[in-house]
Amino acid sequence: MDLRTHPSSLLIGLFLACLTVSGCGSEDTAETVTYHRDIRPLLESQCLDCHRQGDIGPYALDSYERAKKYAAISWLQIKTGKMPPWPADPTCNEYVGQRLLSKQEKALFERWVESGTAEGDPATYVAPKAKPDPYANAGPATVTLKAEKSYVPNGTVTDDYRCFDLTHTFEKETFVQMTRVLPDQKDLVHHVLVYAVKKPLLGMLRALDEADPGVGYTCFGGAGIGAPTPVAGWAPGNETGPLPPDSGIRIPAGSRLV
């Protein structure tokens, strides 16, 4: 066949050939999706930062038995886009550290659930590529801060938003290049936002703290004081790492962190 003079014949022939090959029950011959070979690496790379025993996830997925038990609800959360939690629109931009499942990964999880959540052979497991440690070369922290007293959450509300004055005054202008949050109650702490409150507003900060019984004060969507400077943010599984070279977040002299 002359490909230059009969291109349409070639395309039709190939199309018909593909129909003949793929129309013979490909679903019946598709390889069974198994936990150890296909699903375990996916869970470890995308889910276990939160969904392991002792962490914030409402159920653990760190074994075959638990992954199987919660397979249906996990697939529902994945299918509806609620998990992994990533509110940014993936069609708008790409971000460092974004947590998104590909179409292929979603299809793989769906096949596993629909085909009966097979366990498979543990020998077929291949560990996912280790995530880089953003703090590997950071060295010791310049400043380490924590709330002065322990706080017992309000058990009468679903989410308890609480602000804490970290009681450290920055005597001189400081530029933050890296932050790290280490919660001691990982099964309770959903996220942490850190703000710098400038010196002229410290009186208001003290008033808020003193007016609210217990450690800290109730707040929502910020530090409850004007428009403080965001310094750091943290959520389970999201370590921010260092800022680009020769850059930093400015904390004015006299400020304190909340």
Side-chain angles (χ1 to χ4, degrees):
M1 178 181 292
D2 189 335
L3 301 183
R4 295 169 296 176
T5 56
H6 300 282
S8 59
S9 299
L10 175 64
L11 291 175
I12 293 173
L14 288 176
F15 179 64
L16 292 176
C18 289
L19 285 178
T20 303
V21 172
S22 62
C24 298
S26 59
E27 291 185 1
D28 297 335
T29 59
E31 191 173 26
T32 302
V33 179
T34 68
Y35 168 77
H36 286 293
R37 185 188 62 232
D38 306 300
I39 303 303
R40 181 181 169 188
L42 189 156
L43 294 175
E44 289 180 352
S45 63
Q46 298 285 0
C47 308
L48 295 197
D49 286 330
C50 299
H51 289 273
R52 66 170 70 244
Q53 290 181 302
D55 269 319
I56 191 68
Y59 52 81
L61 298 169
D62 51 2
S63 71
Y64 168 67
E65 290 74 19
R66 285 186 279 272
K68 179 180 180 180
K69 179 179 179 180
Y70 297 108
I73 185 63
S74 297
W75 169 237
L76 177 63
Q77 298 295 309
I78 292 171
K79 181 170 63 174
T80 56
K82 294 181 179 179
M83 290 288 149
W86 187 257
D89 184 353
T91 64
C92 176
N93 210 339
E94 293 184 2
Y95 300 90
V96 174
Q98 65 183 15
R99 303 175 68 86
L100 295 169
L101 293 180
S102 66
K103 291 182 179 180
Q104 292 78 10
E105 289 173 324
K106 291 180 180 180
L108 197 66
F109 200 93
E110 181 182 20
R111 283 177 54 199
W112 182 60
V113 174
E114 296 296 332
S115 62
T117 61
E119 180 177 10
D121 184 356
T124 61
Y125 165 73
V126 177
K129 184 179 178 181
K131 298 178 182 178
D133 181 2
Y135 305 103
N137 301 312
T142 307
V143 178
T144 301
L145 305 174
K146 67 177 182 178
E148 286 189 314
K149 298 179 181 179
S150 298
Y151 173 69
V152 178
N154 180 358
T156 65
V157 296
T158 303
D159 294 309
D160 188 2
Y161 294 89
R162 198 75 175 175
C163 282
F164 306 96
D165 176 7
L166 297 182
T167 67
H168 174 84
T169 302
F170 288 83
E171 300 297 341
K172 60 181 181 179
E173 182 181 59
T174 303
F175 290 87
V176 177
Q177 295 178 310
M178 178 185 289
T179 60
R180 187 175 195 180
V181 175
L182 298 172
D184 62 348
Q185 301 292 330
K186 296 178 68 177
D187 57 335
L188 295 180
V189 182
H190 182 274
H191 67 271
V192 175
L193 300 173
V194 182
Y195 298 91
V197 177
K198 297 178 182 179
K199 186 175 181 179
L201 298 176
L202 294 184
M204 188 181 298
L205 172 61
R206 285 191 294 272
L208 283 171
D209 208 346
E210 292 171 358
D212 197 320
V215 182
Y217 58 93
T218 298
C219 58
F220 179 81
I225 305 169
T229 302
V231 174
W234 172 90
N238 290 305
E239 302 292 355
T240 55
L243 292 174
D246 300 321
S247 66
I249 298 174
R250 177 177 175 267
I251 299 179
S255 299
R256 288 166 73 144
L257 297 185
V258 172

